[in-house]
Structure formats: C-alpha cells, structure tokens
Amino acid sequence: MIFKEKQKSQPISKRQVMEAFKKVRSNKGGSGVDDLSIREVQSRPIKYLYPVWNRLASGSYFPKPVREVEIPKTDGRIRKLGIPTVQDRTAQMVIREELEQIVDKQFSKNSFGYRPGKSSHHAIKQCRKNCMEMDWAIDLDIKSFFDDIDHTLMLQALGHFTKKKHIHLYVKRWLEASVQKKDGTIHPRIKGTPQGGVISPLLANIFLHIVFDSWIETHHPEVKFERYADDIIIHCDNFKQALRTLEAVKARLFQCKLEIKSGKSNIVYCKRNQKKHPPFKVHYVTFDFLGFTFKPRMVKGYFGNFHLGFTPSISRTSQKRINQTLFKMKLHRMVHLRLLDLAGIVADKVRGWIHYYGKVRMSELHYVFRFLNKRLAKWVRNKYRRFRRKHWFAAYKWLQETAKQYPNMFVHWQYGFTP
C-alpha cells in the first residue's frame, strides 16, 4: 500500500500507522461506535488508514466517542470498559509505541503491569520473596482508579517524561473523548481514562509512577513494593511501620485526587516460621494479588525438611470464576459431539489456566479440574443411555477407564488431573 507523503506539521510517518494497525489487528477486539470491524479496515486501507495518518500528521485528528461496555465483576459489581473505534485504536497505538520508548526505561523496577519484558508472574515471584523477608504487607486497593484520574494531573505527569507537543496534543484529546452509553446517548468525559483503550494502561503507569512509585522510593526507601497497574502490595518490617506507611499513602493519594477503597486495603501479617510473633491478635493473615492467594502454607525446604512459609496459589475467587466459565459452556449438553471434540473445545482455555495458575503450586488446580471431570461425567451420562438409570459414579468410572487408555486426550489429563 502506498500513501502519498507530503510535508506535515507532526512527525508521524505512514509506516508508523501501518505497523500500529498490525498490532491492533493481532490484539483483535470489537468495533467502536462506527461499527467498523478490523476486517473491513484491513480490506480497504486506503479508505480507512490513510485518513488516520493524514490527520495525525497534520494535527487535525480528533477521536470519535468511546463505546461503553459493562462487564460484570466477580463481586457482583459492574466494570465499565471503553471501546474506541479501530481507527482510534490504531492512532493510539502510534503514539503509544513512540511514548513507550521514552518512558519505559524510566519506570521503577517494581512496576510490572503492561510493560515489555515483564509479566504478572514476575510480580508474583518478587512478592513471594518479599513476603518471606519482611513480616508485614499492605494490600492496597485504589478506588475506581481508571475512572478517577484527574486530566490536569495526568498531563502534568506526562510532562515529567516528554515535552513533545504532538504527544500532549493527542493524549489530551483521548482523555477528553466523549462516551457513548448503552442507550446511545453521548456524554462528555471530565475525568478518568477508559479501560479498554490501547494507550490507557501506559497512561496509568505514567500517572502512578509519579503519584506512587517515585514518591514512595524517595520518601519511604525502607519499604519494598510490587505494582501491577493499580494493584499494589507494600512490604514492611513491623506493624508500626506498616501503619505509618499506610497513612502516608492515603494522604499522598488524597493529594492526587485518588482514594483507597474502604474495607479493601488491609495490613496483613505474613506468618511463617520465626521465633517472635506479634503480641496481639492479627485480623488479616492472607491477601489476594493478581488471581493468587498468599497465605501460610507448609513448604519443602532445600534439604527435604518442611517448614511454614508464606506462599501463593490460585485464589478461591479465581477457582470460582473458572468453574462459572465451564458451567456456562454447557458441555454436558453437547451430546451430538464425541469426547475428543469436547477436548478440542476446552483445550485452549485449560492450557491458559495451567500456564498462568500452574506456575506456583499446580496441585491447587485439582479443585478446578475435578469440577471439569464431573461435567464430563455428566456428558457421558447424557450421551449413553445405559448410564442414565445408574448411579452417576458409573459414568465417572467409565471416564476413568477412558483416561487410562487415552491419557493425552484432554490437556488437564496430561498434567495428571485425571478422573
């Protein structure tokens, strides 16, 4: 594809736009308010991508309203996501790629969210190490972080990293882009950055780097922390230090027009083998971080001896969410398919769960896959008439024999989670 390139006021090339669209395409995602799909944009790049480059490079680009989508959370509340159009996502990716080259090398080593070369597993590993070294942890939860970011403070934080005018110009326009509600009405946005936007995670990292990371490293160098987007764990040596740090963080967030979610931010005692225990009753001895629960468990040492450690494993909330996903798939009703077909249907999901949650204490996944095996046994009972009048365990027994003959049929069977 060839774009005619003329002298433009903003330093954005056609190659940047095309490379950005390739990344947007690989991320997939739905259409925005214009109902324009990625496939349509790909089929007619001159019509849809040329205007993106032309307007970005000339400074005349303005985003369309963001389509609001409501996603139910595990606690019954609603998370509101903002879905920009494919063209707007491409434009955001152009600026994000340029901005990320500037800011990422300046971020704290304790920031892990949405960064190249870092993942949630790195955050979990560091959190486990710090829990074993320090006695107390602050489980910090910021209330409605993405929805409450102040636009003026956001642009000031961006100014600490770059003074490039075209970046500030377009970031300001994306922050102020209006929102199309579910009923079709358009509402202006006066604060926050929509979750679902391509550039939103990077803006969140920029904002929290100034608000939290660099501040706590400067004013409280005695503590350690991990941050993944707005999920933060702070580690302290003693309870008094944890109290002082929590109050200081509350004051800092209030100063930056944010607040801690009431009842969600706790001081947790990281109980493990040690001579001194706190002289008072501890209210919290567990916390959840990135889908894992950290709590006291018996762990095996280097020399084969067991001791009490403070380690992570898949959280009960994550287990319930996975079970709800399996329940909604209605596998037991797919009696027109073979067992091998069911294995193909669930393979990608099961593989993803094992690769994410199985990094630490894979044995804790038995609860999830026991539920899956029971769903398969129910399919056996519905599929074969001879099992319908028998006890359900007869179908489960048949599934056990099948697993012995074909241990590699299902992904979780390959890891030992057989019926």
Side-chain angles (χ1 to χ4, degrees):
M1 181 186 67
I2 300 176
F3 294 158
K4 288 186 177 180
E5 208 162 344
K6 300 178 182 179
Q7 187 66 30
K8 299 291 183 180
S9 61
Q10 308 300 330
I12 297 173
S13 68
K14 59 186 179 182
R15 179 178 292 276
Q16 286 177 275
V17 174
M18 288 307 301
E19 292 299 322
F21 175 71
K22 290 178 182 178
K23 293 188 177 182
V24 170
R25 182 180 60 192
S26 65
N27 293 336
K28 300 181 181 180
S31 56
V33 295
D34 57 0
D35 292 325
L36 195 64
S37 67
I38 292 177
R39 181 175 295 181
E40 291 178 85
V41 174
Q42 183 181 3
S43 63
R44 304 184 70 181
I46 293 292
K47 180 178 179 180
Y48 296 119
L49 294 181
Y50 175 78
V52 174
W53 166 72
N54 191 35
R55 292 166 188 167
L56 277 175
S58 62
S60 61
Y61 170 81
F62 285 87
K64 294 179 180 178
V66 175
R67 180 169 64 90
E68 188 176 83
V69 178
E70 295 182 348
I71 305 296
K73 299 176 72 173
T74 54
D75 57 5
R77 295 180 297 134
I78 298 295
R79 174 185 284 116
K80 294 181 179 180
L81 301 182
I83 310 298
T85 66
V86 177
Q87 291 170 304
D88 287 340
R89 296 208 295 272
T90 303
Q92 289 186 21
M93 185 65 78
V94 171
I95 301 300
R96 174 186 164 178
E97 291 295 302
E98 181 179 356
L99 183 57
E100 195 170 57
Q101 297 296 323
I102 300 171
V103 303
D104 189 73
K105 56 189 176 185
Q106 302 180 54
F107 283 156
S108 168
K109 64 179 181 179
N110 301 307
S111 171
F112 297 90
Y114 309 108
R115 295 184 59 190
K118 291 183 178 288
S119 69
S120 53
H121 289 136
H122 292 121
I124 293 295
K125 183 178 180 181
Q126 179 171 306
C127 186
R128 182 180 185 274
K129 179 176 179 292
N130 288 335
C131 284
M132 296 298 288
E133 294 176 354
M134 307 182 82
D135 293 345
W136 297 87
I138 303 172
D139 179 15
L140 204 62
D141 196 346
I142 302 176
K143 181 181 178 181
S144 303
F145 169 69
F146 283 90
D147 296 330
D148 288 345
I149 292 178
D150 183 81
H151 290 173
T152 302
L153 295 178
M154 178 71 250
L155 293 173
Q156 288 178 5
L158 181 62
H160 282 82
F161 292 94
T162 180
K163 302 296 182 182
K164 291 186 177 181
K165 292 183 179 180
H166 68 286
I167 292 180
H168 281 262
L169 174 69
Y170 292 128
V171 167
K172 185 174 186 294
R173 290 178 183 176
W174 284 317
L175 289 173
E176 297 174 350
S178 54
V179 180
Q180 184 187 70
K181 298 290 184 178
K182 193 174 181 180
D183 58 3
T185 57
I186 305 294
H187 297 264
R189 180 183 293 276
I190 59 175
K191 63 178 180 178
T193 176
Q195 286 182 271
V198 170
I199 202 169
S200 294
L202 182 59
L203 295 181
N205 274 338
I206 290 172
F207 190 75
L208 280 177
H209 175 81
I210 300 298
V211 170
F212 180 80
D213 297 356
S214 60
W215 171 82
I216 200 168
E217 288 174 349
T218 302
H219 294 85
H220 298 272
E222 70 279 3
V223 305
K224 297 180 180 179
F225 73 94
E226 301 84 35
R227 182 177 67 79
Y228 192 96
D230 58 334
D231 291 332
I232 305 171
I233 303 295
I234 306 173
H235 303 271
C236 303
D237 286 319
N238 55 68
F239 184 69
K240 289 184 178 180
Q241 185 186 75
L243 282 175
R244 290 194 302 268
T245 304
L246 181 57
E247 290 304 313
V249 170
K250 285 181 179 179
R252 172 63 175 174
L253 293 179
F254 180 78
Q255 181 185 9
C256 299
K257 300 183 180 181
L258 294 172
E259 61 177 306
I260 291 177
K261 190 180 297 183
S262 59
K264 292 289 185 177
S265 298
N266 306 313
I267 298 178
V268 180
Y269 176 54
C270 303
K271 183 179 181 181
R272 58 191 189 279
N273 276 2
Q274 55 184 19
K275 293 182 179 179
K276 293 184 179 180
H277 291 272
F280 53 87
K281 184 178 179 180
V282 179
H283 291 284
Y284 302 101
V285 292
T286 71
F287 65 84
D288 285 1
F289 184 50
L290 302 178
F292 293 84
T293 293
F294 284 76
K295 68 178 185 179
R297 309 174 198 271
M298 294 305 297
V299 295
K300 192 174 183 179
Y302 290 109
F303 302 103
N305 57 320
F306 286 87
H307 64 277
L308 187 66
F310 198 84
T311 58
S313 73
I314 181 174
S315 68
R316 187 68 174 171
T317 303
S318 299
Q319 291 176 344
K320 289 180 178 179
R321 186 175 65 249
I322 292 173
N323 288 349
Q324 287 174 358
T325 301
L326 293 171
F327 181 80
K328 290 178 181 178
M329 293 178 73
K330 304 296 182 184
L331 296 175
H332 65 287
R333 295 183 179 178
M334 300 180 183
V335 293
H336 59 290
L337 300 177
R338 301 172 301 165
L339 190 61
L340 186 61
D341 297 327
L342 297 186
I345 291 173
V346 301
D348 289 341
K349 290 184 181 295
V350 171
R351 193 175 290 112
W353 294 329
I354 290 176
H355 286 174
Y356 184 76
Y357 295 107
K359 286 286 186 179
V360 288
R361 296 185 73 94
M362 186 181 288
S363 60
E364 296 291 329
L365 288 170
H366 72 89
Y367 173 81
V368 171
F369 295 127
R370 183 175 59 187
F371 180 82
L372 175 55
N373 287 331
K374 287 184 177 180
R375 304 302 296 175
L376 295 176
K378 193 170 183 178
W379 174 88
V380 173
R381 199 175 186 187
N382 292 340
K383 175 79 170 178
Y384 302 108
R385 188 172 298 177
R386 66 182 183 270
F387 293 113
R388 293 179 187 174
R389 293 186 178 181
K390 297 180 180 180
H391 192 273
W392 70 270
F393 189 74
Y396 198 80
K397 188 72 175 176
W398 181 90
L399 195 66
Q400 286 179 329
E401 294 300 323
T402 304
K404 290 179 182 178
Q405 295 179 18
Y406 306 100
N408 295 325
M409 181 181 291
F410 284 86
V411 174
H412 65 291
W413 290 1
Q414 299 172 17
Y415 287 86
F417 297 102
T418 54

Coordinates of all heavy atoms in Angstrom, one line a residue, residues 157-213:
A157 N 1.9 14.8 34.8 CA 2.7 13.6 35.0 C 3.4 13.3 33.6 O 4.6 12.9 33.6 CB 1.9 12.4 35.5
L158 N 2.6 13.4 32.5 CA 3.2 13.2 31.2 C 4.3 14.1 30.9 O 5.3 13.8 30.3 CB 2.1 13.3 30.2 CG 2.5 13.0 28.7 CD1 3.0 11.6 28.5 CD2 1.3 13.3 27.8
G159 N 4.2 15.4 31.4 CA 5.2 16.4 31.2 C 6.5 16.1 31.8 O 7.6 16.6 31.4
H160 N 6.5 15.2 32.9 CA 7.8 14.8 33.5 C 8.6 13.9 32.6 O 9.9 13.8 32.8 CB 7.5 14.0 34.8 CG 7.1 14.9 35.9 ND1 5.9 15.4 36.1 CD2 7.9 15.5 37.0 CE1 5.9 16.2 37.2 NE2 7.1 16.2 37.7
F161 N 8.0 13.3 31.6 CA 8.7 12.3 30.7 C 9.0 12.9 29.4 O 10.0 12.6 28.8 CB 7.8 11.1 30.6 CG 7.7 10.3 31.8 CD1 6.6 10.4 32.7 CD2 8.7 9.3 32.1 CE1 6.5 9.7 33.8 CE2 8.6 8.5 33.3 CZ 7.5 8.7 34.1
T162 N 8.1 13.7 28.8 CA 8.3 14.2 27.5 C 7.6 15.6 27.3 O 6.6 15.8 27.9 CB 7.8 13.3 26.4 OG1 8.0 13.8 25.1 CG2 6.3 13.0 26.6
K163 N 8.2 16.4 26.5 CA 7.6 17.7 26.1 C 7.1 17.8 24.7 O 6.7 18.8 24.2 CB 8.7 18.8 26.3 CG 9.2 18.9 27.8 CD 8.2 19.3 28.8 CE 8.8 19.4 30.2 NZ 7.8 19.7 31.2
K164 N 7.1 16.6 24.0 CA 6.7 16.6 22.6 C 5.3 17.0 22.5 O 4.4 16.5 23.1 CB 6.9 15.2 22.0 CG 8.4 14.7 21.9 CD 8.5 13.4 21.2 CE 9.9 13.0 21.0 NZ 10.1 11.7 20.3
K165 N 5.1 18.1 21.6 CA 3.8 18.7 21.5 C 2.7 17.8 21.0 O 1.6 17.8 21.4 CB 3.9 20.0 20.7 CG 4.7 21.1 21.4 CD 4.7 22.3 20.5 CE 5.5 23.4 21.2 NZ 5.5 24.7 20.4
H166 N 3.1 16.9 20.0 CA 2.1 16.1 19.3 C 1.6 15.0 20.3 O 0.4 14.6 20.2 CB 2.6 15.5 18.0 CG 3.7 14.5 18.2 ND1 5.0 14.8 18.5 CD2 3.7 13.1 18.1 CE1 5.7 13.7 18.6 NE2 4.9 12.7 18.3
I167 N 2.4 14.5 21.2 CA 2.0 13.5 22.2 C 1.0 14.2 23.1 O 0.0 13.6 23.4 CB 3.2 12.9 22.9 CG1 4.1 12.1 21.9 CG2 2.8 12.1 24.1 CD1 5.3 11.5 22.5
H168 N 1.4 15.3 23.7 CA 0.5 16.0 24.6 C -0.9 16.4 23.9 O -1.9 16.3 24.5 CB 1.1 17.3 25.1 CG 2.1 17.0 26.2 ND1 1.8 17.2 27.6 CD2 3.4 16.6 26.2 CE1 2.9 16.9 28.3 NE2 3.9 16.6 27.5
L169 N -0.8 16.8 22.7 CA -2.0 17.1 21.9 C -3.0 16.0 21.8 O -4.2 16.1 22.2 CB -1.6 17.6 20.5 CG -2.8 17.9 19.6 CD1 -3.5 19.2 20.0 CD2 -2.2 18.1 18.1
Y170 N -2.5 14.8 21.4 CA -3.4 13.7 21.2 C -3.8 13.0 22.5 O -4.9 12.5 22.6 CB -2.8 12.7 20.2 CG -2.7 13.3 18.8 CD1 -1.5 13.3 18.1 CD2 -3.8 13.9 18.2 CE1 -1.4 13.8 16.9 CE2 -3.7 14.4 17.0 CZ -2.5 14.4 16.3 OH -2.4 15.0 15.0
V171 N -2.9 13.0 23.5 CA -3.3 12.4 24.8 C -4.4 13.2 25.4 O -5.4 12.6 25.9 CB -2.1 12.3 25.7 CG1 -2.5 12.0 27.2 CG2 -1.1 11.2 25.3
K172 N -4.3 14.5 25.3 CA -5.4 15.4 25.9 C -6.7 15.1 25.2 O -7.7 15.0 25.8 CB -5.0 16.8 25.7 CG -5.9 17.8 26.3 CD -5.4 19.3 26.2 CE -6.2 20.2 27.0 NZ -7.6 20.4 26.4
R173 N -6.7 14.9 23.8 CA -7.9 14.7 23.1 C -8.5 13.3 23.5 O -9.7 13.2 23.5 CB -7.6 14.8 21.6 CG -7.4 16.2 21.1 CD -7.1 16.3 19.7 NE -6.7 17.7 19.3 CZ -6.3 18.0 18.0 NH1 -6.2 17.1 17.1 NH2 -6.1 19.3 17.8
W174 N -7.7 12.3 23.7 CA -8.2 11.0 24.0 C -8.8 11.0 25.4 O -9.7 10.3 25.7 CB -7.1 9.9 23.9 CG -6.8 9.6 22.5 CD1 -7.7 9.3 21.5 CD2 -5.5 9.4 21.9 NE1 -7.0 9.0 20.3 CE2 -5.7 9.0 20.5 CE3 -4.2 9.5 22.4 CZ2 -4.7 8.8 19.7 CZ3 -3.1 9.2 21.5 CH2 -3.4 8.9 20.1
L175 N -8.1 11.7 26.3 CA -8.6 11.8 27.7 C -10.0 12.5 27.7 O -10.9 12.1 28.5 CB -7.7 12.6 28.6 CG -6.4 12.0 29.0 CD1 -5.5 12.9 29.7 CD2 -6.6 10.7 29.8
E176 N -10.2 13.4 26.8 CA -11.5 14.2 26.8 C -12.5 13.6 25.9 O -13.6 14.2 25.7 CB -11.2 15.7 26.5 CG -10.3 16.4 27.5 CD -9.9 17.8 27.1 OE1 -10.1 18.1 25.9 OE2 -9.3 18.5 27.9
A177 N -12.2 12.5 25.2 CA -13.1 11.9 24.2 C -14.4 11.6 24.9 O -14.4 11.0 26.0 CB -12.5 10.7 23.6
S178 N -15.6 11.9 24.3 CA -16.9 11.6 24.9 C -17.2 10.1 25.0 O -16.5 9.3 24.3 CB -17.9 12.4 24.2 OG -17.9 12.1 22.8
V179 N -18.2 9.8 25.7 CA -18.6 8.4 25.9 C -20.0 8.1 25.4 O -20.9 8.9 25.7 CB -18.5 8.0 27.4 CG1 -18.9 6.5 27.6 CG2 -17.1 8.3 28.0
Q180 N -20.2 7.1 24.6 CA -21.5 6.7 24.2 C -22.0 5.6 25.1 O -21.5 4.5 25.2 CB -21.5 6.2 22.7 CG -22.8 5.8 22.2 CD -22.8 5.2 20.8 OE1 -22.4 4.0 20.7 NE2 -23.2 5.9 19.8
K181 N -23.1 5.9 25.8 CA -23.7 5.0 26.8 C -24.4 3.9 26.0 O -24.6 3.9 24.8 CB -24.6 5.7 27.7 CG -23.9 6.8 28.6 CD -23.1 6.1 29.6 CE -22.5 7.2 30.5 NZ -21.6 6.6 31.6
K182 N -24.9 2.9 26.8 CA -25.6 1.7 26.3 C -26.9 2.1 25.6 O -27.3 1.5 24.6 CB -25.9 0.8 27.4 CG -26.3 -0.6 27.0 CD -26.5 -1.5 28.1 CE -26.9 -2.9 27.7 NZ -27.1 -3.9 28.8
D183 N -27.5 3.2 26.0 CA -28.7 3.7 25.4 C -28.5 4.6 24.2 O -29.5 5.1 23.6 CB -29.6 4.4 26.4 CG -28.9 5.6 27.0 OD1 -27.8 5.9 26.6 OD2 -29.5 6.3 27.9
G184 N -27.2 4.8 23.8 CA -26.9 5.6 22.6 C -26.6 7.0 22.9 O -26.2 7.7 21.9
T185 N -26.9 7.5 24.1 CA -26.6 8.9 24.4 C -25.1 9.2 24.5 O -24.3 8.3 24.9 CB -27.3 9.3 25.7 OG1 -26.9 8.5 26.8 CG2 -28.8 9.2 25.5
I186 N -24.7 10.4 24.2 CA -23.3 10.8 24.3 C -23.1 11.7 25.5 O -23.8 12.6 25.7 CB -22.9 11.6 23.0 CG1 -23.2 10.7 21.7 CG2 -21.4 11.9 23.0 CD1 -22.4 9.5 21.6
H187 N -22.1 11.4 26.3 CA -21.8 12.1 27.5 C -20.3 12.6 27.5 O -19.4 11.8 27.1 CB -22.0 11.3 28.7 CG -23.5 10.9 28.9 ND1 -24.3 11.6 29.7 CD2 -24.2 9.9 28.4 CE1 -25.5 11.0 29.7 NE2 -25.5 10.0 28.9
P188 N -20.0 13.8 27.9 CA -18.6 14.2 27.9 C -17.9 13.5 29.1 O -18.5 13.1 30.1 CB -18.7 15.7 28.2 CG -20.1 15.9 28.9 CD -21.0 14.8 28.3
R189 N -16.6 13.4 28.9 CA -15.7 12.8 30.0 C -14.9 13.9 30.6 O -14.2 14.6 30.0 CB -14.8 11.8 29.4 CG -13.9 11.1 30.4 CD -12.9 10.1 29.8 NE -13.6 9.0 29.2 CZ -14.0 7.9 29.9 NH1 -13.7 7.8 31.2 NH2 -14.6 6.9 29.3
I190 N -15.1 14.1 31.9 CA -14.4 15.2 32.6 C -13.2 14.7 33.5 O -12.4 15.4 33.9 CB -15.4 15.9 33.6 CG1 -16.0 15.0 34.6 CG2 -16.5 16.7 32.7 CD1 -16.9 15.7 35.6
K191 N -13.2 13.3 33.7 CA -12.0 12.7 34.4 C -11.9 11.3 34.0 O -12.9 10.7 33.5 CB -12.2 12.9 35.9 CG -13.4 12.2 36.5 CD -13.4 12.3 38.0 CE -14.6 11.6 38.6 NZ -14.7 11.7 40.1
G192 N -10.8 10.7 34.3 CA -10.6 9.3 34.0 C -10.1 9.0 32.6 O -10.1 9.8 31.7
T193 N -9.6 7.8 32.4 CA -9.2 7.3 31.1 C -9.9 5.9 30.9 O -9.8 5.1 31.8 CB -7.7 7.2 31.0 OG1 -7.3 6.6 29.7 CG2 -7.1 6.3 32.1
P194 N -10.5 5.7 29.8 CA -11.3 4.4 29.7 C -10.5 3.2 29.7 O -9.5 3.1 28.9 CB -12.1 4.6 28.4 CG -11.2 5.6 27.6 CD -10.6 6.5 28.6
Q195 N -10.9 2.2 30.5 CA -10.3 0.9 30.4 C -10.8 0.3 29.1 O -11.9 0.2 28.8 CB -10.7 0.0 31.6 CG -10.1 0.3 32.9 CD -10.5 -0.6 34.0 OE1 -11.5 -0.3 34.7 NE2 -9.8 -1.7 34.2
G196 N -9.8 -0.3 28.3 CA -10.1 -0.8 27.0 C -9.4 0.0 25.9 O -9.3 -0.6 24.8
G197 N -9.0 1.2 26.2 CA -8.2 1.9 25.2 C -6.8 1.4 25.1 O -6.2 0.9 26.1
V198 N -6.2 1.5 24.0 CA -4.8 1.0 23.7 C -3.8 1.7 24.6 O -2.9 1.1 25.2 CB -4.5 1.1 22.3 CG1 -3.0 0.8 22.0 CG2 -5.3 0.2 21.4
I199 N -4.0 3.0 24.7 CA -3.0 3.8 25.4 C -3.3 4.0 26.9 O -2.4 4.4 27.7 CB -2.9 5.2 24.8 CG1 -1.5 5.9 25.1 CG2 -4.0 6.1 25.2 CD1 -1.2 7.1 24.3
S200 N -4.4 3.5 27.4 CA -4.8 3.7 28.8 C -3.9 3.1 29.8 O -3.5 3.7 30.8 CB -6.2 3.2 29.0 OG -7.2 4.0 28.3
P201 N -3.4 1.8 29.6 CA -2.5 1.2 30.5 C -1.2 1.9 30.7 O -0.7 2.1 31.8 CB -2.3 -0.2 29.9 CG -3.5 -0.5 29.1 CD -3.9 0.8 28.5
L202 N -0.7 2.5 29.5 CA 0.6 3.2 29.6 C 0.4 4.5 30.3 O 1.2 4.9 31.2 CB 1.1 3.5 28.2 CG 2.4 4.2 28.1 CD1 3.5 3.5 28.8 CD2 2.8 4.5 26.6
L203 N -0.8 5.2 30.1 CA -1.0 6.4 30.8 C -1.2 6.2 32.3 O -0.8 7.0 33.2 CB -2.3 7.1 30.3 CG -2.3 7.6 28.8 CD1 -3.6 8.2 28.5 CD2 -1.1 8.6 28.7
A204 N -1.8 5.0 32.7 CA -2.0 4.6 34.1 C -0.6 4.4 34.7 O -0.4 4.9 35.9 CB -2.8 3.4 34.2
N205 N 0.3 3.8 34.0 CA 1.7 3.6 34.5 C 2.4 4.9 34.7 O 3.1 5.1 35.7 CB 2.5 2.7 33.6 CG 2.3 1.2 33.9 OD1 1.9 0.8 35.0 ND2 2.5 0.3 32.9
I206 N 2.2 5.8 33.8 CA 2.9 7.1 33.9 C 2.4 7.9 35.1 O 3.1 8.4 35.9 CB 2.6 8.0 32.6 CG1 3.4 7.3 31.4 CG2 3.0 9.4 32.8 CD1 3.1 8.0 30.1
F207 N 1.0 7.9 35.3 CA 0.4 8.6 36.4 C 0.9 8.0 37.7 O 1.3 8.7 38.6 CB -1.1 8.5 36.3 CG -1.8 9.4 37.2 CD1 -1.9 10.8 37.0 CD2 -2.5 8.9 38.3 CE1 -2.6 11.6 37.9 CE2 -3.2 9.7 39.2 CZ -3.2 11.1 39.0
L208 N 0.8 6.7 37.9 CA 1.2 6.0 39.1 C 2.7 6.1 39.4 O 3.1 5.9 40.5 CB 0.6 4.6 39.2 CG -0.9 4.5 39.5 CD1 -1.3 3.1 39.5 CD2 -1.2 5.1 40.9
H209 N 3.5 6.2 38.4 CA 4.9 6.3 38.6 C 5.2 7.6 39.3 O 6.0 7.6 40.3 CB 5.7 6.3 37.3 CG 7.1 6.6 37.4 ND1 8.0 5.6 37.8 CD2 7.9 7.7 37.3 CE1 9.2 6.1 37.9 NE2 9.2 7.4 37.6
I210 N 4.5 8.7 38.9 CA 4.8 10.0 39.6 C 4.0 10.0 41.0 O 4.6 10.4 42.0 CB 4.2 11.1 38.7 CG1 5.0 11.1 37.4 CG2 4.4 12.4 39.5 CD1 6.5 11.4 37.5
V211 N 2.8 9.5 41.0 CA 2.0 9.6 42.2 C 2.5 8.6 43.3 O 2.5 9.0 44.5 CB 0.5 9.3 41.9 CG1 -0.3 9.1 43.1 CG2 -0.1 10.4 41.0
F212 N 2.9 7.4 42.9 CA 3.2 6.4 43.9 C 4.7 5.9 43.8 O 5.4 6.0 44.8 CB 2.3 5.2 43.8 CG 2.6 4.1 44.8 CD1 2.1 4.2 46.1 CD2 3.3 3.0 44.4 CE1 2.3 3.2 47.0 CE2 3.6 2.0 45.4 CZ 3.1 2.1 46.7
D213 N 5.1 5.4 42.7 CA 6.4 4.7 42.6 C 7.6 5.6 43.1 O 8.3 5.3 44.0 CB 6.7 4.2 41.2 CG 5.7 3.1 40.8 OD1 4.8 2.7 41.6 OD2 5.7 2.7 39.6

